[in-house]
Amino acid sequence: MTLLAVRDLGVDFGGPPIVDGVSFSMKRGEIVALVGESGSGKSVASLALMGLLGRGNVTGSAILRLNDGRETDLARISSRERRGVLGRHVSMIFQDPLSSLDPIQTIGAQMREVLSLHCGLRGGKAQARAIELLHEVGIVDPQACLKLIPQRLSGGMRQRVLIAMAIAGEPELLLADEPTTALDVTVQAQVLRLLLSLRARSGMGMIFITHNLAVASSIADRVIVLYAGQVVEDAPADAFFAAPAMPYSKALLGAAPGIDSVFGARRLPILRGQVPAPGERGVGCRFAPRCDAMRPTPCQTQMPDLLNIADGENEVHAVRCGRWEELAR
Amino acid sequence: MTAPVLSVQGVSKTYTQRAGLFGRPSQTYALRDVSFDLRAGEILGLVGESGSGKTTVGRIAMRLIDPSEGKVYLAGQDVTALSSTALRPMRRRIQLIFQDPSASLNPRQTIRQILRTPLRLRGITDDTEIARMLAIIGMGADALDRTPAMFSGGQRQRLSIARALLMNPDIIVADEAVSALDVCVQAQVVNLLLDLRDQFGLSILFIGHDLGVVGLISDRIGVMFRGSLVEIAPSRGLFERPRHPYTARLLAAAPRQGGKLTPHAEVDAGRLSPTSTEGCAFAALCSHAITECRTTRPVMRETAPDHWTACRRADLDLRPAHC
Ligand SMILES: Nc1ncnc2c1ncn2[C@@H]1O[C@H](COP(=O)(O)OP(=O)(O)OP(=O)(O)O)[C@@H](O)[C@H]1O
Ligand SMILES: Nc1ncnc2c1ncn2[C@@H]1O[C@H](COP(=O)(O)OP(=O)(O)OP(=O)(O)O)[C@@H](O)[C@H]1O
Ligand code: SF4
Ligand SMILES: [Mg+2]
Ligand SMILES: [Mg+2]
């Protein structure tokens, strides 16, 4: 059952598109990792999906099918409709914890408000649930944490408070933008397992934005790679980590130092050049100027399509590379 | 041997908390008796539990906050008691790259204004260094006339790294400075920091959670747990032969490409028990704990050359099973 179908999503801020013809769909309960270079439009795309992009023009559609059969286009939802959907059915963990918490209210007050709004819990019940949620995300002393204002929490504690608030309403779709960057690996594993068990229990689907490919590997069913505003690979996680097909995906997997191979190397492998600015993209493949496998034709002359190269029917492994077949040999 | 560029000696930081408006105040330790040296030209990694005090250590080293106890020395000089005027010239030599870049870039300034400030402080008026730095962090000159809000999280982080480096400091405290970056830009910044160290002898306190990155960049690594420094050792020795059970647990939990996690609903009960103030902070979670672990605080001992461990049972073989 499809939970979300994104078709040709585009976002611009008056200039060239920042998010450019992004299409993908996800099933109920599926966990999709969205990875890709910094500035490729991951946050902008997810804010557009949440209808939270202040300025900026959004084109295309993002059809959300809720459990109760309702269908909504998240790309053009009215603000009244949005209030009924956000928090309850769809919720988001923002990339920047400090600016998404109210600096002058205690964590307790902010959590009670969320619990009242999305779960109808008040008073002692809300307090008890808040403590339980903070326990689940591994906060050592929840009672003390509830009394503090955000500034007094460590970076990782803030992130966990946001996660606790986002899952409080047991949403059907969770958009998590770099939710575990400030967590140590043991707490990170605990939080990821919590999200996995929430998925098992309530069928929550999740878009998990991350730069950490080992984290993506730990929880994702599918990996979508964004480069210069476009989807360049969309693959089942197993296939992706075993044999990524797009040269940029290969570069990503090679650039992260694994914990088992850090000694010996004195420097990390570098991908030469930089991402073209939105106004400076050529007609060909946007990765061409940095790609070791580049051939003037077709790479510089024609924008490669996003092709499904999966063997089985009903499977998706899409790749945007004009030479994927030769490179796979 | 020359004096360490930064020396933190017996530093504690306590915060007072009240249970309710009229409740009895109680002290909580954000840091407890932490000592370490940052040697000249060294990259010292700092890893550990979220909330264990890593950011607090960095802020105390910068004298952005005062320690409740203990002393901080910069190039041999005690700076704990210096007034803010006396501190000013010192401050310039040590730069902090914040964990949260949006909190440190003025939203009303353009990038040009933001990056000119450190150069002006150094008496430099032309912009060639700005252009060079932008190229290093992988951004074009079109960035200069925009304000911080128009950049992605990782781009903002790169700008705050550029600003810190333009101050030409001797010491950098990098507080999760690369965790918001994509792996390709992260590789560039990591290599840049290594180059600056090799060429100019820059010393770096590198706080991070990605053990692969911290392991690669650091000469030595300190491990923190609930306000205490529990182990500090050369990186390779720490990874290959951890001697503190918390370090071993941390290394075992690191995610790996190709690995998968399974769901679980239960919370490790020991993790929630209050930290013992008499004994070892890790005792409640430790499968090797003996009675004394809960009653007396372990002190740092040299368990191998330059390898220091605060564990009563540091003789245990905690090597990861797959080695
Ligand atoms: N308000 C805005 N006006 C103009 N450009 C913007 C605005 N907000 C974002 N951008 C641009 O849109 C692009 C995509 O930004 P986005 O935040 O989506 O990147 P990202 O993929 O989330 O990156 P990161 O991994 O660094 O968080 C960036 O190049 C950024 O400069
Ligand atoms: N002003 C304050 N009042 C009360 N407690 C505080 C204050 N500032 C920090 N703390 C506490 O000090 C402890 C250490 O925080 P710190 O930010 O140093 O942790 P950290 O190791 O950097 O964690 P993270 O990896 O999550 O960033 C935390 O428990 C935090 O709640
Ligand atoms: S189309 Fe050409 S330039 Fe683009 S990724 Fe494929 S090989 Fe490289
Ligand atoms: Mg982002
Ligand atoms: Mg911190």
Side-chain angles (χ1 to χ4, degrees), chain B residues 247-295:
Chain B
T247 310
R249 177 175 298 202
L250 207 56
L251 291 170
R256 288 167 168 82
Q257 279 183 22
K260 285 233 175 277
L261 278 175
T262 47
H264 83 153
E266 277 145 65
V267 178
D268 185 348
R271 139 160 289 294
L272 303 175
S273 56
T275 318
S276 143
T277 41
E278 287 96 54
C280 168
F282 191 59
L285 281 157
C286 183
S287 50
H288 307 287
I290 50 177
T291 316
E292 292 90 278
C293 297
R294 299 193 183 84
T295 53

Side-chain angles (χ1 to χ4, degrees), chain A residues 246-304:
Chain A
M246 158 80 188
Y248 176 63
S249 309
K250 291 179 199 163
L252 277 183
L253 291 182
I259 175 174
D260 303 313
S261 60
V262 289
F263 303 107
R266 283 307 290 137
R267 293 291 187 275
L268 286 166
I270 290 283
L271 184 60
R272 73 192 137 81
Q274 43 185 283
V275 195
E280 290 156 16
R281 296 167 180 155
V283 288
C285 168
R286 290 183 185 167
F287 188 58
R290 311 175 78 184
C291 181
D292 285 335
M294 194 275 286
R295 294 279 175 283
T297 34
C299 303
Q300 288 176 333
T301 54
Q302 199 185 353
M303 164 72 69

Side-chain angles (χ1 to χ4, degrees), chain A residues 38 96 182 184 217-218 260 267, chain B residues 50 102 182 195 198 256 258-259:
Chain A
S38 162
D96 190 348
D184 69 81
S217 165
S218 303
D260 303 313
R267 293 291 187 275
Chain B
S50 163
S102 47
D182 70 75
D195 289 345
D198 290 354
R256 288 167 168 82

Side-chain angles (χ1 to χ4, degrees), chain A residues 316-329:
Chain A
V316 177
H317 184 163
V319 175
R320 191 189 292 279
C321 168
R323 300 194 64 218
W324 74 269
E325 237 172 332
E326 291 163 75
L327 297 177
R329 268 185 229 132

Side-chain angles (χ1 to χ4, degrees), chain A residues 12-152:
Chain A
D12 68 77
F13 295 96
I18 299 285
V19 175
D20 193 2
V22 166
S23 300
F24 67 91
S25 61
M26 60 188 286
K27 297 197 273 283
R28 198 168 294 288
E30 192 171 28
I31 300 182
V32 173
L34 196 56
V35 304
E37 132 270 343
S38 162
S40 59
K42 303 181 298 295
S43 298
V44 166
S46 49
L47 289 174
L49 287 181
M50 298 294 285
L52 292 177
L53 207 60
R55 308 176 300 112
N57 315 306
V58 181
T59 55
S61 66
I63 310 290
L64 174 75
R65 281 193 197 94
L66 291 175
N67 252 336
D68 58 17
R70 259 192 298 162
E71 277 194 11
T72 343
D73 184 352
L74 290 178
R76 55 194 76 258
I77 189 171
S78 73
S79 47
R80 199 175 56 98
E81 240 184 320
R82 187 183 313 139
R83 276 193 296 277
V85 169
L86 286 200
R88 244 219 133 92
H89 302 288
V90 183
S91 69
M92 174 147 188
I93 302 166
F94 294 92
Q95 183 170 9
D96 190 348
L98 207 51
S99 60
S100 43
L101 288 166
D102 181 340
I104 56 168
Q105 280 205 69
T106 63
I107 299 301
Q110 299 187 54
M111 286 198 74
R112 282 192 296 272
E113 188 183 327
V114 165
L115 287 166
S116 140
L117 214 59
H118 301 314
C119 316
L121 295 176
R122 269 173 199 102
K125 282 211 177 103
Q127 179 78 4
R129 179 73 181 128
I131 289 174
E132 190 181 16
L133 281 165
L134 292 182
H135 258 172
E136 286 190 331
V137 294
I139 299 271
V140 178
D141 188 350
Q143 263 108 341
C145 178
L146 287 173
K147 289 186 206 114
L148 296 175
I149 55 166
Q151 212 222 324
R152 304 209 154 172

